[in-house]
Amino acid sequence: MADQRVTVDGMADAIMEGLLEYAELATDTMKDCVKKAGNTVKKETQENAPVKSGRYKKSWAVKRQKETSTTLEVVVHSRNRYQLTHLLEKGHAKRGGGRVRAIPHIGPAEEKGIRELEEGIRRGLSR
């Protein structure tokens, strides 16, 4: 498009074509970065999750929540051990008194995923 000659009448169409091409490229880059960040959060959560029987650690999954032509939402969740997530992350009171210590494994993974998403989008759009 750099060497293409455009008349004054066709300038608006040429600019719009360039903007649409950029929007499509930006959307594809954003969707790829969201998928990678979701997988990173899942991986980090699994690596740092407490292991008793291993079922909680294996229960983590990435689910595509909503996807349109311009957006993508993913959710990282525990498929069948979701009741334990808050108790393990924040700690809880014991039945006979005292407390169980917290094992933060979701929060740090989320922060790493956010950083990776922001850096990936910046790198992808600066090309």
Side-chain angles (χ1 to χ4, degrees), residues 7 9-11 45 66 68 80 101 105:
T7 64
D9 296 333
M11 187 178 295
T45 303
K66 178 182 172 185
T68 65
N80 53 4
R101 71 175 177 84
H105 57 288

Side-chain angles (χ1 to χ4, degrees), residues 5-117:
R5 291 192 180 255
V6 178
T7 64
V8 175
D9 296 333
M11 187 178 295
D13 293 333
I15 291 172
M16 192 62 181
E17 181 181 318
L19 289 173
L20 290 174
E21 182 180 325
Y22 176 76
E24 184 177 319
L25 177 68
T27 300
D28 292 342
T29 300
M30 183 269 311
K31 285 184 178 184
D32 289 340
C33 291
V34 168
K35 289 176 190 173
K36 287 179 187 174
N39 288 328
T40 298
V41 171
K42 175 191 167 204
K43 182 179 154 216
E44 287 291 318
T45 303
Q46 282 182 329
E47 287 177 1
N48 299 323
V51 179
K52 186 173 181 181
S53 67
R55 290 185 290 183
Y56 176 73
K57 190 174 196 171
K58 293 175 188 172
S59 72
W60 288 94
V62 179
K63 180 180 179 183
R64 196 174 284 182
Q65 189 76 9
K66 178 182 172 185
E67 184 171 10
T68 65
S69 61
T70 57
T71 63
L72 174 64
E73 293 178 19
V74 296
V75 175
V76 179
H77 65 102
S78 177
R79 284 188 302 263
N80 53 4
R81 304 276 180 234
Y82 56 88
Q83 303 92 334
L84 295 175
T85 57
H86 184 79
L87 297 174
L88 291 171
E89 183 78 9
K90 305 293 183 185
H92 58 90
K94 291 182 179 180
R95 185 168 49 179
R99 288 200 58 84
V100 174
R101 71 175 177 84
I103 305 170
H105 57 288
I106 301 169
E110 178 188 16
E111 291 171 10
K112 183 174 181 178
I114 290 170
R115 283 194 307 271
E116 181 180 312
L117 178 62

